[in-house]
């Protein structure tokens, strides 16, 4: 074996292999962490599968790119149900309000403080029932187009129910309960002082021009010594309810009973007098 002397100077002067030279040159041009992301791997992350918003309040739609990319010069579109239904459009560093659907104009605000990190937030103000449905945000650049989709659910907790005393009917006390401003359609239940369900005499639910529901229900409470009766209205989406309780004393029941007896007697007397008058007129 023949030994070849190797010095430190000779190592420095030795030419680099072509492959090593190319790798060194590549690293100088594209340092670690600065390599462009593969457009096929860029994803848009949205708010999630579903968001719940309350009527009259505001809701935020957060969308961002993963991995992080500067979105300042991209087009970003928020849409309702389909891309042609524009909720908000950011294009060429401008917000194009004239492209919005009429029902969303003057109700949206874009927060783009972190747009260079690929993150933007759209605020939707004064939520109404018609806002309910599917939404999406789409990022468009020269290299890729990606979007995220989600569902918006809307709920409204209506006014506290009010119970009114309508008089005496069919041997009992006639009660009426009403409330408004609910979404979606509410559920109502009458209960006695022991929490037992009481059957309603009638129930009417109507929807106004804003899509909110109003409810009116009535029942006939049979005689008893003392009653605590409640009218409870529940929002099925929020699993929240509002309730009104009325206390009816036994002496009121007795008085109404006497009044009903007198009215029945007067009705009978009136019918008898009417028949007598008819007989007299026939003669």
């Amino acid at each position: 074996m023949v030994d070849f002397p190797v010095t430190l100077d000779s190592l420095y002067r030795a030419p680099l292999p072509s492959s090593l030279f190319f790798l060194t040159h590549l690293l100088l041009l594209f340092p670690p962490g600065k390599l462009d992301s593969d457009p096929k791997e860029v994803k848009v992350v949205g708010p999630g599968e579903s968001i719940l918003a309350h009527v009259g309040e505001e809701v935020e739609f957060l969308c961002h790119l993963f991995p992080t990319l500067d979105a300042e010069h991209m087009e970003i579109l928020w849409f309702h149900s389909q891309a042609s239904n524009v909720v908000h459009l950011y294009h060429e560093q401008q917000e194009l309000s004239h492209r919005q659907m009429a029902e969303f104009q003057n109700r949206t605000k874009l927060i783009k403080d972190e747009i260079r990190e690929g993150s933007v937030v759209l605020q939707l103000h004064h939520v109404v029932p018609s806002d309910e449905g599917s939404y999406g945000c789409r990022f468009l650049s020269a290299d890729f187009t990606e979007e995220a989709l989600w569902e918006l659910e809307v709920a409204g907790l209506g006014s506290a129910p009010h119970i009114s005393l309508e008089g005496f009917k069919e041997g009992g006390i006639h009660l009426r309960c009403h409330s408004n401003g609910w979404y979606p359609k509410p559920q109502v239940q009458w209960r006695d002082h022991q929490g037992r369900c009481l059957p309603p005499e009638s129930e009417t639910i109507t929807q106004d021009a804003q899509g909110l529901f109003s409810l009116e229900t009535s029942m006939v409470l049979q005689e008893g010594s003392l009653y605590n009766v409640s009218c409870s209205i529940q929002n099925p989406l929020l699993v929240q309810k509002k309730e009104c309780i009325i206390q009816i004393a036994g002496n009121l029941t007795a008085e109404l009973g006497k009044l009903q007896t007198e009215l029945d007697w007067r009705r009978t007397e009136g019918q008898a007098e009417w028949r007598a008058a008819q007989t007299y007129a026939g003669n």
Side-chain angles (χ1 to χ4, degrees):
M1 175 181 290
V2 179
D3 294 330
F4 295 93
V6 178
T7 65
L8 190 60
D9 291 339
S10 64
L11 285 176
Y12 281 115
R13 289 194 298 268
L16 292 171
S18 59
S19 60
L20 184 58
F21 177 81
F22 174 79
L23 179 59
T24 303
H25 185 67
L26 183 63
L27 290 175
L28 290 173
L29 289 176
F30 303 100
K34 296 297 184 179
L35 294 176
D36 289 339
S37 300
D38 184 347
K40 296 179 181 179
E41 297 179 355
V42 176
K43 302 295 181 184
V44 176
V45 180
E49 294 183 0
S50 180
I51 301 179
L52 178 62
H54 291 258
V55 172
E57 298 182 3
E58 74 175 40
V59 64
E60 292 187 344
F61 302 141
L62 168 63
C63 294
H64 68 273
L65 294 173
F66 180 83
T68 297
L69 287 175
D70 185 352
E72 186 175 13
H73 298 280
M74 297 183 186
E75 177 180 288
I76 310 175
L77 167 69
W78 284 265
F79 57 90
H80 185 24
S81 299
Q82 57 188 16
S84 58
N85 296 335
V86 177
V87 177
H88 198 96
L89 178 61
Y90 172 86
H91 179 71
E92 294 183 350
Q93 298 180 275
Q94 294 183 346
E95 298 175 50
L96 307 183
S97 59
H98 67 280
R99 295 281 302 276
Q100 289 179 296
M101 298 176 66
E103 53 264 45
F104 292 107
Q105 289 184 358
N106 301 316
R107 294 176 56 215
T108 59
K109 181 180 179 181
L110 178 59
I111 308 298
K112 53 182 186 293
D113 297 343
E114 300 181 6
I115 193 170
R116 292 188 177 182
E117 286 74 45
S119 181
V120 286
V121 176
L122 184 70
Q123 294 179 342
L124 176 60
H125 301 277
H126 310 299
V127 171
V128 295
S130 60
D131 291 333
E132 196 170 59
S134 60
Y135 285 79
C137 59
R138 175 180 298 175
F139 285 70
L140 172 65
S141 75
D143 300 318
F144 68 91
T145 301
E146 291 291 337
E147 65 183 36
L149 303 173
W150 64 91
E151 291 290 325
L152 177 66
E153 295 181 290
V154 176
L157 197 61
S159 64
H162 175 74
I163 298 177
S164 58
L165 186 63
E166 299 295 309
F168 204 78
K169 183 178 182 180
E170 300 173 357
I173 300 173
H174 190 206
L175 300 175
R176 190 176 303 277
C177 175
H178 69 270
S179 179
N180 53 59
W182 294 84
Y183 191 84
K185 184 182 295 185
Q187 300 166 346
V188 62
Q189 184 66 67
W190 289 96
R191 294 184 184 274
D192 65 12
H193 63 289
Q194 295 181 334
R196 295 174 299 194
C197 294
L198 300 172
E201 177 201 38
S202 66
E203 182 177 308
T204 303
I205 299 178
T206 57
Q207 193 171 20
D208 62 21
Q210 287 72 44
L212 299 176
F213 290 95
S214 296
L215 178 146
E216 183 175 287
T217 179
S218 67
M219 66 159 298
V220 176
L221 184 64
Q222 299 304 316
E223 292 187 33
S225 58
L226 186 67
Y227 293 99
N228 284 337
V229 181
S230 68
C231 173
S232 175
I233 304 179
Q234 178 171 302
N235 184 306
L237 189 59
L238 295 175
V239 196
Q240 288 181 282
K241 66 180 181 180
K242 290 190 175 182
E243 185 177 60
C244 179
I245 300 176
I246 185 172
Q247 183 173 338
I248 302 175
N251 59 358
L252 175 60
T253 304
E255 290 297 323
L256 287 173
K258 293 178 182 178
L259 178 61
Q260 183 65 39
T261 301
E262 183 177 352
L263 289 174
D264 291 342
W265 178 81
R266 290 182 179 277
R267 186 181 297 111
T268 302
E269 287 293 310
Q271 291 174 350
E273 291 177 1
W274 182 82
R275 285 195 295 268
Q278 291 292 103
T279 302
Y280 178 80
N283 295 331

